[in-house]
Amino acid sequence: MGVLISKQAKNLFESPKFVIKDETHWTYWKAAESGAGLHLRFKGHNSDWKIVLSEAMSRLCEGKEMERLEQLDFREIDSYVRDRNSEAGWDLSEAEIKEANTYINNIKIGINLSYTEVKIPLEWTSGQFKKLPLPEKIKTLKSMFQNPFVQNLYRGIGLPTLLDVEELTVYIQVSYSTDDERGRLDDLQSWLSFILKEPDLNLIPE
């Protein structure tokens, strides 16, 4: 379990400017319109180190262009949370560092959604998608498959086609014969699960 070490890390946790700590589910959003600079905001309950990670991301990107977030990586955030004498900001396991990199990437993906024309809410509550009527599920998924992230992910091999939905099982027609294509499907499922807050979402290729 991640332990905060440096004064900087502890200050980011104890006196955040952009993270609201409470007991609700974890959400994030972009608090400014396109063209006004990037303003990341977070709210909810999370582990101490991930709150520090989120606060650091917000401070490093505040008022900057979207490219700033796209260039941000764990190494820069790790440096930011250190004290001036380079004392480590936190003690994270290899698994937590891997989780941090995935988290940073998912934030980039989610915030990119709010810069597109695709009308997908960023603050789904857990279980909301599962309870949608079938036509709404289909409409939502079809819109998400047109998102620039998916278009880029499947560039050159063709976008997935939605075939059917049964609760949280989604049947799609998609290329799935090589390791690369199987990896893309894993990335797509991870992205959809993260955005919709449905960890049990399952994509079935046909």
Side-chain angles (χ1 to χ4, degrees):
M1 184 176 184
V3 177
L4 305 183
I5 298 175
S6 69
K7 292 180 180 178
Q8 168 76 330
K10 292 176 181 177
N11 177 64
L12 293 174
F13 177 75
E14 294 168 359
S15 302
K17 295 180 180 179
F18 307 118
V19 176
I20 301 173
K21 295 185 288 185
D22 62 23
E23 296 302 316
T24 63
H25 65 278
W26 188 251
T27 61
Y28 67 93
W29 66 96
K30 179 175 66 69
E33 296 300 320
S34 296
L38 189 59
H39 302 270
L40 299 180
R41 299 293 183 268
F42 298 82
K43 180 180 180 182
H45 176 72
N46 217 323
S47 56
D48 293 1
W49 70 266
K50 197 168 287 185
I51 288 174
V52 171
L53 179 68
S54 303
E55 178 68 18
M57 290 180 69
S58 298
R59 295 193 184 197
L60 288 167
C61 294
E62 183 70 4
K64 304 294 196 307
E65 297 299 322
M66 186 63 199
E67 289 74 15
R68 180 70 180 96
L69 177 62
E70 292 172 349
Q71 295 167 0
L72 192 62
D73 58 17
F74 177 75
R75 181 177 297 182
E76 182 177 354
I77 296 172
D78 182 65
S79 177
Y80 181 77
V81 302
R82 291 173 178 266
D83 286 336
R84 290 185 178 181
N85 61 3
S86 294
E87 180 180 18
W90 40 33
D91 180 17
L92 302 181
S93 67
E94 290 185 9
E96 286 169 330
I97 292 174
K98 182 178 180 180
E99 182 181 350
N101 281 300
T102 299
Y103 178 76
I104 292 167
N105 186 56
N106 283 336
I107 294 298
K108 293 178 182 181
I109 292 168
I111 293 300
N112 260 309
L113 278 174
S114 65
Y115 277 79
T116 73
E117 304 259 336
V118 182
K119 303 301 182 183
I120 302 297
L122 285 178
E123 294 187 59
W124 289 87
T125 56
S126 180
Q128 179 178 343
F129 177 79
K130 183 178 181 179
K131 296 177 182 177
L132 287 177
L134 180 58
E136 288 300 313
K137 285 183 178 179
I138 292 173
K139 180 179 179 180
T140 297
L141 289 168
K142 283 186 174 180
S143 294
M144 296 185 83
F145 285 172
Q146 294 299 318
N147 185 266
F149 168 77
V150 182
Q151 292 178 350
N152 183 65
L153 183 64
Y154 279 92
R155 182 175 297 166
I157 63 174
L159 290 176
T161 300
L162 182 64
L163 299 176
D164 196 11
V165 184
E166 295 177 1
E167 294 190 351
L168 291 178
T169 300
V170 180
Y171 299 92
I172 60 175
Q173 182 177 344
V174 66
S175 298
Y176 191 71
S177 59
T178 67
D179 289 342
D180 173 67
E181 290 169 350
R182 287 189 286 272
R184 297 190 198 204
L185 185 63
D186 288 343
D187 289 343
L188 177 62
Q189 179 164 311
S190 175
W191 178 72
L192 287 171
S193 297
F194 178 80
I195 298 300
L196 298 176
K197 289 186 170 61
E198 294 286 6
D200 295 328
L201 188 74
N202 188 28
L203 300 186
I204 304 296
E206 293 190 348

